[in-house]
């Protein structure tokens, strides 16, 4: 029985390591394959994640906010009739405390805008510029002129596309027409004080910003507003924020998180998580055949030696462990290579890849054309864990077969 | 009919730190229709000499010509053609293509030569019969004995009627009955078809068949004598 | 079957397990590629088709510049007779003249800015699916004059139904004030919320009268039976408008630049993924064939000694690879075809897809397109890459030194 003692881990590792490099070509090719596979898992995931993150971030900025409060009928019929009073003391208190970080009340009504040459339909937004900026409006996106300076600002800020459609210019006057609550047409001249560019051209063509108080006055709606936009915390988890606002808002108001406000965006988040898992597993499966093959070859070519080792008193389980250890080393080296490749290839493009060649196509998907890869720890861990665990499972069969050779048979081969 | 001239052949191999003189100023002339045995201990340079004549290896110095053609100056392609059409090789063992049957092994060389299928089949059947393998044509090498395998190898080597057959220890893995059969076959081919044989061996049974016996040691020819008929 | 091919076939089964493992890698990728590519192209076709059929048609004749800046003034003179000429030139296609402008629409309660399109009620159903999507009332008829069909969401927002009257206000082609009262005869539900909220159709003659068009229109939509016919139709249409320098023919690419780009964007990420899969299969083949070449060194040495040139051995290795890849391709194609066929019949869907698909004018279930092209594309590329992967092992045979080779056991 003394001869059946297991080898020390160090001795076994040394053995495995040498066997691994006995056929350096085969091992190198397999390493390269694992490396490329793992690289692809991580790289592709980071790109897709980046795309979806960007899409969601842009989408949330455009909404704006993580949670919005409306009149229940407003979303189907965004008219002035379905406006709401400004937040009462209870809601105000809720909006002033965490997890709420910022909120703003806005008027949002369909309107017509006419220049000397053209007339277009737009969404007129009456906003408090400070609140709007807190909710994600980027003042730097105003490329000409200035953004509004306060709720009473008499000026108008329009998108560049709209400006082109209207064939007018910064500083020129336009007329805005909309309905007041009594169904009378209210109109007022505005001077265009700013022109913004948006990531999504739809906004550039269809939105016009004016001061909140100015719009309320124009439409004679008192201090009524169309919606309250609220932000705070991580977009991935809005339950707390949603609950915080919903309670004091009361049942007569509709309070919805962004995942409900834009179902497409909300779904993308879940679809993306699913995609990452499927992608990692598909790549692994494509790798697994090569891995199994490599190990099979490594085992078959040393049948005699395995027999010899058994004859010398190495027990079958030690042989199993030795082959598994060999596979583990291969996997770890491959993972190392893959992770390094991934990080090395993501690093230089972390400031974004410009995909403007297909910009309009990305826009159709709701993505802007500069793609920022997002390397997430969870994805990195997922890829590595999947490769190690499934990799060991794949190597079980060759390892088990190796341990099953009978010494005499094995030596008699060849 | 080949007239083979070897002049001042030298070849050294390096094995680790050791330098082995495989051929050390060997000069030799082989006449058409000769039946020569090369004998000598392992490492005496027999195999190297065969390889050199067959154009399988490159000389350090010296020259080899077959019918006035400088073998040592040919490039790989023409060398391959030379072997394909004029030289037959027989090695000590494992020299058949394992996935091909006996007949297919014989046909293989002819196919490379571009012999039409029908003729290939006729010739291969005839030659296998001649070497005493009729009925075993469709067996794979693994299903044949060592002696039978060597007969297939001989059949393959002579099927396209080469002028020269180079055999490297052809009987090394054979029992004495098979060895005798093989040598009888060689002698018959030599006498009736005029094929020149150059056989390396350290098998006494083989040397008995030789018309001319060349002994080698440490890469040198130490004796070269014509034997009286057996 | 040549002897070499027979040899190749037997050689690959000398290590049947290894061959199967390598072939299975190919099969796995092939099944995936066959199905994914079929699904992709199926959805692209559907996306293009649904988008074009909804309203725009495959081609449009427009005044130059209208596409970038759609103004009432950029117009086509005598649009109905030009449409008739196009019908003669394109007997297979369906042709519908239109005029379109922006107008303020008012019901008793509400006022909105909308897009009003003047259409020929008889021609419109040939180029647009909107007439077929009327869910309340009816679509426009030849005899209609001051009638309008509006989107369902617009009807809700205007708080009107069929039979109610709407006032349209806008400016005519000559800049004059344009106004008219129309009766709602029907509402449509296209599934595209933008259209349902902001599109209305009226008879073309009424539009032309009201907006002072004097026989002018803004576009002529042309629909053909399949995407493949677009190029020919475009050429034919271009001949018709040859003598009218102010007009252009735009195909769907120009009408919906986002559509092709969305497809290209999707394709490029898909090709990245497929490329990775294929490269991994290539590595698998490279490893297998390299091992198979190295372990046969002695055998190859003997064959070389027989006078066989390395080129022939290399071709043997390539044939072995090709056979193995053919097995992978045949089985992969067959299984892939089965999977694709199943979804071709039953439709493919995953949770949440319905909402996602709507964005691209797609139904909630997708039907992969089974054509020879979509089936063979993936496996064909895999096949080529497998051959490519075997080049290195095959090239090694040119470096084979017969004497050394035979010394190797």
């Amino acid at each position: 029985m003394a001869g059946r003692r297991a080898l020390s881990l160090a001795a076994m590792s040394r053995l495995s390591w040498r066997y691994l490099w006995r056929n350096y070509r085969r091992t190198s090719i397999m390493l390269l394959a694992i490396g490329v596979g793992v690289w692809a898992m991580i790289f592709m995931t980071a790109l897709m994640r980046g795309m979806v993150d960007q899409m969601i971030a842009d989408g949330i900025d455009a909404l704006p906010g993580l949670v919005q409060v409306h009149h229940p009928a407003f979303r189907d019929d965004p008219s002035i009739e379905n406006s709401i009073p400004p937040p009462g003391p209870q809601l105000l208190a809720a909006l002033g405390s965490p997890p709420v970080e910022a909120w703003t009340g806005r008027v949002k009504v369909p309107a017509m805008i006419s220049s000397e040459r053209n007339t277009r339909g737009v969404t007129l937004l009456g906003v408090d510029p400070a609140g709007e900026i807190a909710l994600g409006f980027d003042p730097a996106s105003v490329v000409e002129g200035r953004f509004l300076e306060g709720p009473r600002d008499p000026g108008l800020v329009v998108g560049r596309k709209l400006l082109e459609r209207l064939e007018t210019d910064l500083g020129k006057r336009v007329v805005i027409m909309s309905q007041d609550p009594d169904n009378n047409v209210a109109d007022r001249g505005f001077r265009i004080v700013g022109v913004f560019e948006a990531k999504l051209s739809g906004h550039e063509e269809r939105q016009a910003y004016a001061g909140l108080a100015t719009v309320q006055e124009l439409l004679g709606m008192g201090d009524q507003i169309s919606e309250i936009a609220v932000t705070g915390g991580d977009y991935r988890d809005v339950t707390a924020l949603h609950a915080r606002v919903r309670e004091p808002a009361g049942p007569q108001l509709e309070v919805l998180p962004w995942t409900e406000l834009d179902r497409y965006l909300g779904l993308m988040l879940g679809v993306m998580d699913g995609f990452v898992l499927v992608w990692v597993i598909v790549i692994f499966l494509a790798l697994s055949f090569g891995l199994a093959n490599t190990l099979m070859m490594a085992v078959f070519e040393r049948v005699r030696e395995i027999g010899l080792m058994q004859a010398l008193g190495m027990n079958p389980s030690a042989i199993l462990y030795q082959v598994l250890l060999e596979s583990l080393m291969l996997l770890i080296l491959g993972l190392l290579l893959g992770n390094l490749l991934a990080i090395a290839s993501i690093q230089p493009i972390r400031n974004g890849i410009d995909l403007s060649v297909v910009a309009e196509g990305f826009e159709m998907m709701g993505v802007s054309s500069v793609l920022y890869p997002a390397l997430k720890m969870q994805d990195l861990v997922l890829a590595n864990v999947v490769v190690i665990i499934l990799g060991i499972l794949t190597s079980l069969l060759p390892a088990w077969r190796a341990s099953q050779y009978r010494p005499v048979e094995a030596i008699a081969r060849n | 009919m080949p007239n083979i001239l070897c002049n001042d052949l030298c070849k050294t191999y390096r094995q680790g730190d050791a330098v082995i003189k495989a051929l050390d100023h060997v000069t030799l002339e082989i006449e058409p229709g000769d039946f020569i045995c090369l004998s000598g201990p392992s490492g005496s340079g027999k195999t190297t000499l065969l390889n050199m004549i067959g154009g399988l290896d490159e000389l350090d110095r010296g020259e080899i010509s077959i019918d006035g053609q400088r073998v040592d100056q040919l490039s790989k392609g023409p060398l391959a053609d030379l072997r394909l059409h004029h030289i037959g090789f027989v090695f000590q063992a494992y020299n058949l293509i394992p996935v091909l049957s006996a007949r297919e092994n014989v046909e293989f060389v002819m196919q490379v030569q571009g012999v039409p299928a029908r003729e290939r089949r006729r010739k291969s059947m005839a030659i296998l019969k001649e070497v005493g393998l009729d009925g075993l044509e469709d067996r794979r090498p693994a299903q044949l004995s060592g002696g039978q395998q060597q007969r297939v190898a001989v059949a393959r080597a002579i099927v396209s009627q080469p002028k020269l057959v180079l055999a490297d220890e052809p009987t090394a893995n054979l029992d004495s009955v098979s060895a005798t059969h093989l040598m009888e076959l060689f002698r018959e081919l030599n006498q009736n078809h005029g094929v020149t044989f150059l056989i390396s061996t350290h098998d006494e049974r083989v040397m008995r068949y030789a018309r001319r016996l060349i002994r080698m040691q440490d890469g040198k020819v130490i004796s070269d004598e014509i034997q009286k008929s057996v | 079957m040549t002897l070499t091919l027979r040899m190749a076939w037997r050689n690959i089964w000398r290590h049947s397990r290894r061959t199967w493992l390598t072939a299975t890698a190919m099969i796995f990728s092939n099944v995936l590629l066959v199905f994914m590519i079929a699904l992709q192209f199926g959805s692209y076709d559907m996306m293009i088709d649904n988008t074009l059929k909804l309203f725009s048609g495959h081609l449009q004749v427009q005044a130059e510049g209208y596409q970038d800046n759609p103004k009432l003034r950029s117009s086509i003179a005598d649009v109905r007779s030009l449409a008739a000429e196009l019908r003669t030139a394109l007997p297979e296609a369906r042709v519908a003249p239109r005029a379109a402008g922006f107008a303020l629409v008012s019901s008793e309660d509400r006022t909105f800015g909308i897009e009003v399109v003047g259409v020929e009620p008889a021609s419109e159903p040939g180029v647009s699916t909107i007439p077929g999507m009327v869910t309340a009332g009816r679509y426009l008829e030849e005899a209609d004059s001051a009638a309008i069909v509006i989107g369902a969401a617009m009807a809700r927002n205007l708080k009107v139904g069929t039979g109610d009257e709407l006032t349209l206000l806008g400016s005519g082609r000559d800049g004059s004030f344009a106004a008219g009262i129309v009766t709602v005869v029907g509402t449509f539900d296209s599934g595209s919320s933008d259209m349902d909220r902001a599109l209305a159709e009226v008879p073309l003659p009424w539009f032309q009268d009201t907006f002072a068009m004097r026989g002018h229109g803004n576009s002529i939509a042309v629909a053909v039976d399949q995407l493949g016919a677009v190029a020919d139709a475009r050429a034919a249409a271009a001949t018709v408008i040859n003598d009218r320098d102010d007009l252009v023919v735009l195909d769907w690419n120009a009408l919906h630049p986002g559509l092709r780009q969305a497809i290209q964007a999707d394709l490029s990420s898909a090709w990245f993924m497929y490329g990775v899969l294929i490269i991994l299969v290539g590595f698998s083949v490279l490893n297998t064939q390299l091992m198979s070449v190295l372990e046969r060194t002695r055998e190859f040495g003997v064959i070389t000694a027989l006078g066989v040139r390395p080129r022939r051995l290399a071709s043997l290795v390539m044939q072995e690879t090709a056979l193995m890849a053919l097995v992978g391709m045949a089985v992969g194609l067959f299984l892939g075809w089965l999977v694709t066929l199943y979804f071709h019949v039953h439709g493919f869907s995953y949770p949440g897809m319905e909402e996602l698909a709507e964005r691209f004018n797609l139904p909630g279930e997708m039907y992969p397109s089974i054509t020879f092209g979509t089936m063979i594309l993936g496996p064909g590329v895999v096949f080529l890459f497998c051959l490519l992967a075997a080049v290195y092992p095959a090239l090694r045979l040119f470096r084979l030194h017969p004497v050394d080779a035979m010394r190797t056991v």
Side-chain angles (χ1 to χ4, degrees):
Chain A
M1 279 296 121
R4 292 211 142 228
R5 273 187 28 223
L7 260 75
S8 75
L9 188 63
M12 198 122 86
S13 308
R14 199 158 46 233
L15 200 60
S16 297
W17 183 254
R18 298 225 174 123
Y19 268 127
L20 188 62
W21 293 107
R22 181 195 215 175
N23 197 324
Y24 69 94
R25 279 197 198 89
R26 185 172 61 208
T27 301
S28 309
I29 292 173
M30 197 56 222
L31 265 183
L32 217 57
I34 299 177
V36 168
V38 171
W39 167 78
M41 288 176 187
I42 299 172
F43 186 73
M44 185 73 188
T45 303
L47 285 191
M48 297 298 275
R49 278 269 189 233
M51 197 168 102
V52 170
D53 278 4
Q54 188 74 30
M55 189 168 135
I56 291 174
D58 288 354
I60 290 173
D61 283 351
L63 273 173
L66 297 178
V67 169
Q68 288 188 350
V69 183
H70 295 118
H71 186 281
F74 180 81
R75 292 205 309 134
D76 182 54
D77 182 12
S79 82
I80 192 160
E81 273 173 42
N82 297 325
S83 52
I84 54 173
Q90 256 189 307
L91 184 53
L92 216 48
L95 290 172
S97 60
V100 176
E101 283 165 11
W103 69 274
T104 190
R106 329 161 85 212
V107 172
K108 184 176 176 184
V109 288
M112 305 259 287
I113 182 166
S114 307
S115 67
E116 284 169 15
R117 304 179 62 86
N118 260 321
T119 301
R120 310 294 300 181
V122 290
T123 300
L124 175 66
L125 297 168
V127 300
D128 170 7
E132 206 64 16
I133 290 166
L135 262 289
F137 184 88
D138 181 5
S141 68
V142 178
V143 289
E144 276 180 59
R146 58 171 177 85
F147 192 48
L148 303 170
E149 280 163 353
R152 307 212 149 267
D153 196 314
L156 188 73
V157 175
V158 298
R160 177 178 294 289
K161 281 247 171 74
L162 183 60
L163 196 74
E164 286 168 9
R165 293 277 191 256
L166 291 172
E167 297 174 60
T168 184
D169 262 312
L170 185 71
K172 295 254 175 76
R173 287 181 69 82
V174 290
V175 174
I176 294 254
M177 263 191 294
S178 189
Q179 253 183 315
D180 70 13
D182 303 324
N183 200 22
N184 299 315
V185 173
D187 56 15
R188 182 181 191 275
F190 281 88
R191 191 174 298 283
I192 297 174
V193 297
V195 178
F196 70 91
E197 279 179 359
K199 285 174 182 158
L200 307 178
S201 72
H203 282 200
E204 247 185 72
E205 200 176 334
R206 279 196 287 274
Q207 293 200 335
Y209 290 88
L212 175 64
T214 314
V215 174
Q216 283 170 333
E217 192 185 325
L218 164 68
L219 300 178
M221 57 197 293
D223 56 359
Q224 293 276 100
I225 50 177
S226 307
E227 62 187 11
I228 301 169
V230 187
T231 189
D234 184 10
Y235 71 81
R236 286 176 172 275
D237 183 20
V238 288
T239 26
L241 185 70
H242 182 218
R244 187 83 187 92
V245 180
R246 195 185 48 211
E247 283 300 316
Q252 72 280 15
L253 292 181
E254 182 187 61
V255 179
L256 291 175
W258 66 271
T259 45
E260 293 293 321
L261 291 165
D262 190 337
R263 300 264 297 144
Y264 176 74
L265 273 189
L267 277 162
M268 278 316 284
L269 201 61
V271 166
M272 188 56 213
D273 285 336
F275 167 82
V276 172
L277 189 66
V278 169
W279 170 238
V280 165
I281 287 180
V282 161
I283 290 291
F284 177 80
L285 286 179
L287 271 178
S288 66
F289 302 106
L291 182 66
N293 226 344
T294 304
L295 289 171
M296 283 285 189
M297 286 190 250
V299 165
F300 277 112
E301 73 191 4
R302 58 171 192 261
V303 168
R304 278 172 66 93
E305 290 143 67
I306 290 171
L308 187 68
M309 286 181 198
Q310 286 185 309
L312 294 176
M314 192 163 165
N315 67 37
S317 64
I319 288 167
L320 181 94
Y321 291 139
Q322 192 264 309
V323 176
L324 282 184
L325 206 57
E326 201 173 317
S327 146
L328 190 67
M329 286 173 174
L330 184 66
L331 288 169
I332 289 175
L333 284 178
L335 279 172
L336 222 57
L337 181 68
N339 285 307
L340 282 177
L341 275 178
I343 290 167
S345 57
I346 291 171
Q347 199 62 13
I349 56 168
R350 68 186 187 288
N351 294 323
I353 327 170
D354 192 356
L355 299 171
S356 38
V357 198
V358 286
E360 288 181 59
F362 274 112
E363 204 166 87
M364 203 162 163
M365 296 189 245
V367 188
S368 63
S369 59
V370 178
L371 192 52
Y372 300 89
L375 185 56
K376 294 222 154 72
M377 198 35 96
Q378 66 186 85
D379 296 335
L380 209 64
V381 169
L382 178 76
N384 284 281
V385 166
V386 164
V387 170
I388 287 280
I389 292 183
L390 294 187
I392 290 291
L393 283 179
T394 310
S395 12
L396 270 176
L397 183 70
W400 182 78
R401 288 198 62 101
S403 69
Q404 290 313 104
Y405 290 119
R406 298 233 194 90
V408 187
E409 260 174 47
I411 294 175
R413 285 272 286 264
N414 281 332
Chain B
M1 289 295 138
N3 185 12
I4 303 165
L5 288 171
C6 301
N7 189 22
D8 200 25
L9 307 182
C10 289
K11 178 73 180 179
T12 51
Y13 288 112
R14 215 165 277 278
Q15 200 159 49
D17 292 334
V19 176
I20 297 161
K21 281 191 173 177
L23 292 178
D24 192 3
H25 303 283
V26 171
T27 299
L28 199 64
E29 184 177 353
I30 299 169
E31 292 184 357
D34 238 345
F35 196 101
I36 306 175
C37 267
L38 279 172
S39 78
S42 294
S44 58
K46 309 185 296 284
T47 303
T48 308
L49 184 58
L50 290 186
N51 288 344
M52 290 301 172
I53 293 171
L56 291 179
D57 206 349
E58 284 162 29
L59 285 167
D60 291 344
R61 63 174 285 182
E63 49 197 59
I64 299 174
S65 60
I66 298 180
D67 285 345
Q69 168 102 50
R70 283 284 294 273
V71 174
D72 54 305
Q73 286 176 344
L74 286 177
S75 64
K76 280 191 171 180
L79 268 178
D81 286 341
L82 177 75
R83 288 196 296 272
L84 186 62
H85 295 285
H86 303 296
I87 303 176
F89 264 104
V90 180
F91 304 99
Q92 45 177 301
Y94 311 117
N95 75 62
L96 298 181
I97 300 165
V99 291
L100 298 183
S101 70
R103 184 169 55 74
E104 287 168 334
N105 258 288
V106 176
E107 283 192 29
F108 180 70
V109 173
M110 284 190 283
Q111 198 203 6
V112 178
Q113 289 171 339
V115 178
R118 182 180 299 227
E119 194 183 338
R120 283 204 311 257
R121 187 173 170 85
R122 188 181 55 74
K123 279 192 171 175
S124 61
M125 293 303 274
I127 202 93
L128 283 170
K129 187 166 185 177
E130 199 172 331
V131 300
L133 288 175
D134 48 338
L136 303 177
E137 295 92 348
D138 290 324
R139 294 220 184 155
R140 299 269 181 99
Q143 297 165 314
L144 295 169
S145 74
Q148 289 165 337
Q149 284 187 37
Q150 282 305 62
R151 282 155 185 269
V152 177
V154 171
R156 186 178 63 188
I158 61 176
V159 69
S160 43
Q161 291 161 328
K163 292 158 191 154
L164 172 65
V165 170
L166 300 170
D168 190 6
E169 314 239 5
T171 59
N173 291 306
L174 300 185
D175 58 65
S176 58
V177 177
S178 303
T180 309
H181 276 156
L182 188 67
M183 292 317 294
E184 290 291 345
L185 183 63
F186 279 3
R187 182 159 69 182
E188 193 266 338
L189 288 167
N190 174 254
Q191 286 174 353
N192 299 350
H193 299 274
V195 181
T196 309
F197 276 86
L198 183 55
I199 305 165
S200 90
T201 188
H202 41 230
D203 188 340
E204 288 297 329
R205 296 168 302 187
V206 173
M207 293 178 214
R208 271 188 277 133
Y209 285 85
R211 190 174 305 137
R212 180 175 164 194
L213 183 65
I214 300 175
R215 290 183 192 279
M216 292 185 72
Q217 195 168 358
D218 299 330
K220 290 192 173 83
V221 173
I222 53 169
S223 79
D224 183 350
E225 54 204 43
I226 306 291
Q227 301 201 121
K228 294 302 154 211
S229 83
V230 187
Chain C
M1 194 152 95
T2 72
L3 197 56
T4 324
L5 202 59
R6 218 176 314 161
M7 233 167 117
W9 179 252
R10 291 178 192 165
N11 274 333
I12 64 173
W13 298 113
R14 271 160 93 172
H15 295 273
S16 57
R17 193 189 335 249
R18 188 164 71 192
T19 298
W20 274 123
L21 272 172
T22 313
T24 313
M26 299 178 198
I27 293 168
F28 171 76
S29 305
N30 282 340
V31 171
L32 214 63
L33 287 177
V34 165
F35 174 65
M36 292 304 294
I37 292 177
L39 190 65
Q40 243 181 323
F41 282 95
S43 65
Y44 294 160
D45 284 352
M46 223 188 269
M47 191 164 137
I48 296 171
D49 231 39
N50 291 1
T51 306
L52 302 187
K53 276 185 181 158
L54 185 60
F55 188 69
S56 77
H58 295 91
L59 292 174
Q60 282 190 11
V61 174
Q62 297 178 348
E64 196 163 2
Y66 182 78
Q67 175 68 16
D68 290 328
N69 195 1
K71 292 183 296 191
L72 207 58
R73 285 188 300 276
S74 323
S75 57
I76 306 170
D78 211 1
V79 69
R80 298 186 77 168
S81 60
L82 182 61
E85 277 178 56
L86 282 169
R87 275 189 200 107
T88 323
L90 296 160
E92 303 284 310
R94 298 170 299 280
V95 178
R98 289 170 179 160
F102 182 79
L104 204 62
V105 62
S106 309
S107 63
E108 259 178 54
D109 300 324
R110 297 286 179 80
T111 301
F112 290 115
I114 58 162
E115 171 92 354
V116 180
V117 183
V119 299
E120 275 184 2
S123 331
E124 197 61 17
V127 297
S128 162
T129 47
I130 287 176
M133 291 166 162
V134 171
T135 47
R138 58 169 177 85
Y139 190 64
L140 301 171
E141 285 167 4
E142 269 313 279
D144 285 334
S145 175
I148 193 165
V149 170
I150 61 176
M154 192 195 296
R156 271 201 311 279
N157 292 353
L158 286 169
K159 302 195 172 166
V160 293
T162 50
D164 291 335
E165 285 190 341
L166 294 174
T167 310
L168 291 180
L169 285 177
S171 47
R173 185 169 172 273
D174 52 5
S176 64
F177 179 72
I181 294 175
V182 285
T183 309
V184 178
V185 295
T187 64
F188 64 84
D189 191 351
S190 70
S192 151
S193 58
D194 277 358
M195 286 205 158
D196 289 354
R197 216 174 275 283
L199 184 75
E201 295 186 354
V202 297
L204 182 57
W206 185 86
F207 185 97
Q208 287 175 325
D209 287 348
T210 311
F211 287 83
M213 298 296 286
R214 294 176 197 279
H216 282 243
N218 295 105
S219 64
I220 301 172
V222 178
V224 292
D225 288 327
Q226 50 191 14
L227 277 180
V230 170
D232 287 346
R234 191 201 155 125
T239 331
V240 173
I241 61 155
N242 207 11
D243 54 339
R244 299 186 59 172
D245 290 340
D246 58 327
L247 301 186
V248 287
V249 183
L250 300 176
D251 65 9
W252 62 273
N253 266 326
L255 296 171
H256 300 273
L259 197 56
R260 166 141 296 186
Q261 290 183 9
I263 290 173
Q264 277 168 350
D266 188 62
L267 264 181
S268 54
S269 64
W271 277 120
F272 175 82
M273 295 193 263
Y274 300 160
V276 170
L277 264 184
I278 292 170
I279 284 171
L280 292 182
V281 174
F283 273 122
S284 206
V285 171
L286 171 59
N287 225 349
T288 307
Q289 289 308 80
L290 188 62
M291 287 308 113
S292 124
V293 164
L294 292 180
E295 76 193 0
R296 282 184 290 171
T297 301
R298 193 195 146 81
E299 194 177 317
F300 286 144
V302 170
I303 297 178
T304 314
L306 296 177
V308 176
R309 294 190 188 207
R311 189 159 27 91
R312 194 171 274 268
L313 291 180
S315 120
L316 175 71
V317 171
M318 293 311 283
Q319 287 182 42
E320 286 171 22
T321 315
L323 285 174
M324 189 152 71
L326 271 178
V327 170
M329 179 145 116
V331 181
L333 253 179
F334 178 67
L335 292 180
W337 174 75
L338 281 185
V339 172
T340 313
L341 191 65
Y342 176 84
F343 288 109
H344 183 69
V345 174
H346 294 97
F348 176 79
S349 185
Y350 54 83
M353 199 174 89
E354 209 165 322
E355 277 96 339
L356 294 181
E358 199 186 305
R359 185 114 171 186
F360 300 97
N361 296 321
L362 288 174
E365 279 192 338
M366 292 208 278
Y367 294 87
S369 101
I370 300 191
T371 65
F372 181 72
T374 59
M375 291 285 111
I376 204 76
L377 182 60
V381 177
V382 169
F383 184 83
L384 286 182
F385 268 77
C386 290
L387 287 188
L388 203 64
V391 166
Y392 171 67
L395 281 181
R396 285 194 60 86
L397 291 169
F398 287 93
R399 301 207 335 240
L400 191 82
H401 198 267
V403 175
D404 295 338
M406 281 186 292
R407 240 181 247 142
T408 325
V409 178

